[in-house]
Amino acid sequence: PCPFESFTKLQERIRLLRLEQKVPQVLIFATHPPCFSLGFRDRGNPKKNFKTALTRTDTDGITCNAIPVHATFRGGEVTYHGPGILGCYTVFGHLPLKAEDYYRLYQHMVKDLLSCWEIEGVLRPQRPDVWIGNRGTKKIASIGLQYRIHPRLTAYGFNVNVGGDLSPFSYI
């Protein structure tokens, strides 16, 4: 597993290279040690999406039940990363797409991935994530997007729950 904070620094370096058109469109798969990431809107009030108390660390960090919490610049709400969760991160640029088109692209990428395991992904109106089960009641993938209009560039992507201990999701 790649530590989340190291990975976000790598993704930002790739984003800057993509901005200068020095690298092609990039797709990276990674897993992380247990951590939570906050979407941009939650950075100012991280407590609002946690059911469990947050604790400040000696180094000005935040934890939830001893699991680190990291602020990000992506959209979406808080999500959990850990063993058994496959992260698919993109740095796409210069595509003539709006933010909602990227969400649909990611949703269909997840559905196609799930179909390889004969799992039917369900899309729910007004929700950017992907669901499974009877009438799509169980979330299997979270989508978060950092979208910059000038120049059009995206970062982050989606996480798919493929196995492992998912109990930390109960904290959010």
Side-chain angles (χ1 to χ4, degrees), residues 70-133:
H70 302 287
T72 70
F73 288 99
R74 65 162 172 78
E77 299 175 348
V78 64
T79 194
Y80 171 71
H81 307 267
I85 299 174
L86 177 64
C88 176
Y89 299 93
T90 62
V91 180
F92 291 163
H94 310 290
L95 298 177
L97 299 175
K98 297 177 183 175
E100 55 270 14
D101 296 327
Y102 279 106
Y103 278 109
R104 277 195 290 282
L105 173 66
Y106 291 156
Q107 286 175 319
H108 289 285
M109 288 170 72
V110 172
K111 281 186 70 170
D112 289 346
L113 178 64
L114 294 174
S115 71
C116 294
W117 294 297
E118 299 180 3
I119 298 171
E120 182 183 355
V122 176
L123 306 183
R124 292 171 54 183
Q126 312 303 322
R127 298 292 301 185
D129 305 314
V130 179
W131 308 77
I132 61 170

Side-chain angles (χ1 to χ4, degrees), residues 36 51-52 65 67 80 83 85 163-172:
F36 293 99
K51 297 176 186 171
T52 306
N65 286 353
I67 299 172
Y80 171 71
I85 299 174
D165 178 15
L166 302 179
S167 64
F169 278 105
S170 69
Y171 306 152
I172 56 178

Side-chain angles (χ1 to χ4, degrees), residues 12-83:
E12 181 61 14
R13 284 196 311 269
I14 293 170
R15 190 190 70 76
L16 292 173
L17 290 170
R18 181 68 196 132
L19 204 74
E20 297 171 2
Q21 297 186 351
K22 292 182 177 178
V23 297
Q25 313 288 9
V26 178
L27 178 66
I28 307 165
F29 291 95
T31 61
H32 306 291
C35 68
F36 293 99
S37 67
L38 297 172
F40 182 74
R41 284 176 275 161
D42 296 334
R43 290 170 61 107
N45 184 13
K47 294 179 184 178
K48 81 175 194 179
N49 284 313
F50 285 91
K51 297 176 186 171
T52 306
L54 300 179
T55 306
R56 285 236 175 255
T57 66
D58 294 339
T59 58
D60 282 336
I62 300 173
T63 63
C64 176
N65 286 353
I67 299 172
V69 177
H70 302 287
T72 70
F73 288 99
R74 65 162 172 78
E77 299 175 348
V78 64
T79 194
Y80 171 71
H81 307 267

